[in-house]
Amino acid sequence: MDEVLKIIKDIQAGSIKPIYFLMGEEPYYIDKLADYIEDNILQEHERDFNQTVLYGRDVSIEDVIGNAKRFPMMADRQVVIVKEAQELSRTIDKLETYAENPQPTTVLVFCYKYKTLDKRKKVTKVLEKAGVVFESKKLYENQVGTWLTRVLQGKKLSIEPKAAAMFVDFLGTDLSRIANEIDKLAIILKPGDTITPAIIEENIGFSKDFNPFELRKAIGEKNQLKAYQIADYFAQNPKDNPIVLTIGLVFGFFSQLLQYHGLKDKSKANVAKVLKINPYFVGDYEVAVRNYPMKKVSAIISALRDIDVKSKGVGANNLAMEDLLKEMLVKIFN
């Protein structure tokens, strides 16, 4: 995010590069930067003749270069944005010649999503010399909370740790989806408000009591009654709680517990760092580690692998979701 802000600040200061190659696994920042350039490099009256949006699936790299070599009309610059540029990956090396001598009055932007250039290749080095090569990396789950807090601060909102965990549990690390839900909440909230689990449940549809986070917590505490209640809720609402995702989350939880058992330094800061979790939730893992010795955790992980295979229809005669969830909890608690 700091690199994104630097690129924007440089543009605001008038330091505009002829090429912006935006690449990587996380499309959120690629879209944000491309949108900023699209909205801010040219004045509104200049855009009709000097702003072009191309799509990688519809053009060749030669078409892109041809557009980039044009001169602006009644403006100091033209902007050429290539969306879905990853479709040009097979011929992207042909950009090398243009990058060695880019048109100074053109701002050429590539949105190269879900892929990256090989940094050892000459084309990458030439692009870095000529302009900006930005890699948008996927965030780890433990980084999403910090990102979420910063985004909300910009909207003068805050969020409770449990509410932040709900976003991650339901939407993973997909920043675009999380940002869309935040935008929905920002419409109904006022500056200074705090997003709580109840607000999320009421306005987005995530249950504050019956969700993967609460299931994990109940399992960690060995609260069998609550765990079975949540499992029953999941079975009744399978579209919102896919069995494969549920098993994956529980498997991840016990994998983290196995790591925890092996740690020499069990300080809160180190546990959060190694397990890649928010420090706020370290206490939940401390409880779970006391309830599940290392040998039991290893057995549970093995059982979860078998259940995962069954959930995908292998050797299970299409067992119902309810039966699979019950089998999972029996293997964990017994």
Side-chain angles (χ1 to χ4, degrees), residues 150-306:
R150 291 178 68 173
V151 171
L152 288 170
Q153 284 175 345
K155 299 178 182 294
K156 297 182 179 179
L157 298 170
S158 59
I159 188 167
E160 292 183 359
K162 181 179 176 181
M166 288 173 68
F167 271 115
V168 177
D169 276 337
F170 280 89
L171 302 177
T173 58
D174 189 330
L175 302 188
S176 296
R177 291 181 65 193
I178 295 174
N180 286 337
E181 297 301 339
I182 291 172
D183 289 340
K184 293 176 186 176
L185 292 177
I187 294 173
I188 61 171
L189 299 175
K190 61 182 183 296
D193 282 351
T194 297
I195 298 173
T196 64
I199 288 174
I200 291 176
E201 180 176 34
E202 183 178 346
N203 296 283
I204 299 179
F206 304 163
S207 171
K208 64 181 175 62
D209 296 315
F210 298 94
N211 58 64
F213 170 75
E214 292 297 333
L215 176 62
R216 255 190 346 231
K217 186 176 177 67
I219 289 172
E221 295 173 347
K222 278 202 165 180
N223 186 337
Q224 296 191 37
L225 176 59
K226 186 173 182 180
Y228 278 103
Q229 287 175 334
I230 295 172
D232 183 61
Y233 177 85
F234 283 6
Q236 293 178 38
N237 299 273
K239 289 184 179 180
D240 295 329
N241 305 279
I243 180 69
V244 174
L245 178 60
T246 300
I247 293 171
L249 288 169
V250 175
F251 180 88
F253 176 64
F254 279 100
S255 297
Q256 288 172 318
L257 285 188
L258 195 61
Q259 281 185 288
Y260 194 127
H261 272 294
L263 290 177
K264 291 183 179 179
D265 178 2
K266 289 184 168 62
S267 65
K268 185 175 183 180
N270 190 57
V271 170
K273 179 182 177 182
V274 174
L275 301 190
K276 296 182 173 62
I277 60 174
N278 189 313
Y280 178 85
F281 299 108
V282 170
D284 294 338
Y285 287 79
E286 291 173 344
V287 171
V289 161
R290 290 196 294 270
N291 285 328
Y292 299 95
M294 181 180 283
K295 187 175 180 180
K296 176 61 176 175
V297 172
S298 296
I300 290 171
I301 289 175
S302 178
L304 288 171
R305 286 197 178 102
D306 292 337

Side-chain angles (χ1 to χ4, degrees), residues 84-95:
E84 309 299 336
Q86 67 274 10
E87 299 289 340
L88 299 169
S89 60
R90 292 182 180 179
T91 56
I92 203 69
D93 287 353
K94 293 182 179 180
L95 185 61

Side-chain angles (χ1 to χ4, degrees), residues 42-241:
L42 300 178
Q43 296 183 39
E44 191 170 351
H45 70 274
E46 297 174 323
R47 293 174 194 158
D48 286 344
F49 296 108
N50 297 291
Q51 190 148 281
T52 305
V53 177
L54 306 173
Y55 289 85
R57 64 178 178 274
D58 299 327
V59 296
S60 66
I61 199 71
E62 289 83 5
D63 294 329
V64 173
I65 293 171
N67 276 274
K69 285 184 174 180
R70 290 184 306 154
F71 290 96
M73 294 180 62
M74 297 176 289
D76 293 331
R77 294 184 178 88
Q78 70 153 341
V79 174
V80 179
I81 299 175
V82 187
K83 297 188 176 183
E84 309 299 336
Q86 67 274 10
E87 299 289 340
L88 299 169
S89 60
R90 292 182 180 179
T91 56
I92 203 69
D93 287 353
K94 293 182 179 180
L95 185 61
E96 181 185 313
T97 302
Y98 175 81
E100 288 175 336
N101 186 29
Q103 182 77 359
T105 55
T106 294
V107 178
L108 177 59
V109 183
F110 283 84
C111 300
Y112 198 81
K113 296 180 178 178
Y114 312 111
K115 292 185 177 183
T116 58
L117 294 178
D118 187 336
K119 294 181 180 179
R120 298 168 296 179
K121 284 193 170 185
K122 185 179 177 182
V123 64
T124 309
K125 295 175 181 177
V126 172
L127 285 168
E128 288 175 334
K129 185 176 180 180
V132 171
V133 176
F134 166 72
E135 182 178 353
S136 183
K137 297 180 180 179
K138 276 280 187 185
L139 296 186
Y140 293 112
E141 284 192 9
N142 66 314
Q143 297 173 313
V144 175
T146 302
W147 171 83
L148 189 56
T149 299
R150 291 178 68 173
V151 171
L152 288 170
Q153 284 175 345
K155 299 178 182 294
K156 297 182 179 179
L157 298 170
S158 59
I159 188 167
E160 292 183 359
K162 181 179 176 181
M166 288 173 68
F167 271 115
V168 177
D169 276 337
F170 280 89
L171 302 177
T173 58
D174 189 330
L175 302 188
S176 296
R177 291 181 65 193
I178 295 174
N180 286 337
E181 297 301 339
I182 291 172
D183 289 340
K184 293 176 186 176
L185 292 177
I187 294 173
I188 61 171
L189 299 175
K190 61 182 183 296
D193 282 351
T194 297
I195 298 173
T196 64
I199 288 174
I200 291 176
E201 180 176 34
E202 183 178 346
N203 296 283
I204 299 179
F206 304 163
S207 171
K208 64 181 175 62
D209 296 315
F210 298 94
N211 58 64
F213 170 75
E214 292 297 333
L215 176 62
R216 255 190 346 231
K217 186 176 177 67
I219 289 172
E221 295 173 347
K222 278 202 165 180
N223 186 337
Q224 296 191 37
L225 176 59
K226 186 173 182 180
Y228 278 103
Q229 287 175 334
I230 295 172
D232 183 61
Y233 177 85
F234 283 6
Q236 293 178 38
N237 299 273
K239 289 184 179 180
D240 295 329
N241 305 279

Side-chain angles (χ1 to χ4, degrees), residues 19-36:
I19 302 175
Y20 290 86
F21 201 96
L22 315 175
M23 63 182 186
E25 291 297 319
E26 178 50 68
Y28 177 79
Y29 286 121
I30 294 174
D31 288 336
K32 283 294 182 183
L33 282 171
D35 289 345
Y36 183 83

